[in-house]
Amino acid sequence: MARTTDGNGVPVPQRLLAAATRLFAEQGYDRTSVQEIVEAAGVTKGALYHYFGSKEDLLQEVYSRVLRLQQERLDAYAGADAPVERRLRDAAADVVVTTIDNLDDAAIFFRSMHHLSPEKNKQVRAERRRYHERFRALIEEGQQAGVFSAATPADLVVDYHFGSVHHLSTWYRPDGPLSPQQVADHLADLLLRALRP
């Protein structure tokens, strides 16, 4: 029976994802072979195909795992017992921090999404749309309550914030002057200022 963890107790799927993420970030998805991934993870090709089925499945999971984390956290913020301004600000800051914490994943995804099959691309877009719709619902809640300005359509406000988030991988540097939380606070504050009535 194949080992499901290494000596440190790291499960094989996590080892494969870590190796693939590092290699895709360093070399690009299209220039990384399955052989390089399994060698870096210290497993066989059989293990990769057992857990993921293909290199494309690994690419999809690189992005989906971050989106699942962000969706879970957004659902918690949106459902909290707090004023809508607080819930939106917390959610807006959180997506920045979790994106910076997973910067390689975000960069890989935006560089390599075109490598996904139409069906996988559709799945990923549906997951992302669900996240954006939940975020938009917070904005709409505040607009309907008169807490936020309704002058700008909620969809445009969502695009404004996520445009900033999606570009983090092009300019943010861990050794730069701002911490992930500081960047998150600035961008969340900009969003809230833009929504002031």
Side-chain angles (χ1 to χ4, degrees), residues 63-165:
Y63 186 66
S64 292
R65 67 179 170 177
V66 177
L67 196 52
R68 280 192 303 272
L69 166 73
Q70 290 175 330
Q71 183 72 56
E72 192 177 291
R73 293 170 67 93
L74 173 58
D75 288 342
Y77 286 122
D81 184 21
V84 68
E85 310 97 307
R86 177 87 253 158
R87 289 181 284 135
L88 180 63
R89 191 193 184 288
D90 288 346
D94 182 72
V95 72
V96 174
V97 171
T98 54
T99 298
I100 290 173
D101 286 348
N102 297 281
L103 218 47
D104 280 347
D105 304 55
I108 290 163
F109 180 75
F110 288 109
R111 275 196 322 244
S112 307
M113 185 178 173
H114 64 282
H115 289 292
L116 291 176
S117 68
E119 185 55 38
K120 288 190 187 312
N121 202 306
K122 187 177 171 185
Q123 290 171 3
V124 167
R125 285 183 186 280
E127 290 170 20
R128 195 164 73 183
R129 189 170 44 254
R130 181 173 166 255
Y131 183 92
H132 285 198
E133 286 170 356
R134 182 77 156 136
F135 194 90
R136 185 186 68 220
L138 278 173
I139 295 165
E140 289 171 337
E141 179 188 335
Q143 288 176 328
Q144 288 160 7
V147 176
F148 300 149
S149 168
T152 305
D155 279 336
L156 209 52
V157 178
V158 171
D159 289 342
Y160 164 77
H161 186 66
F162 286 96
S164 301
V165 173

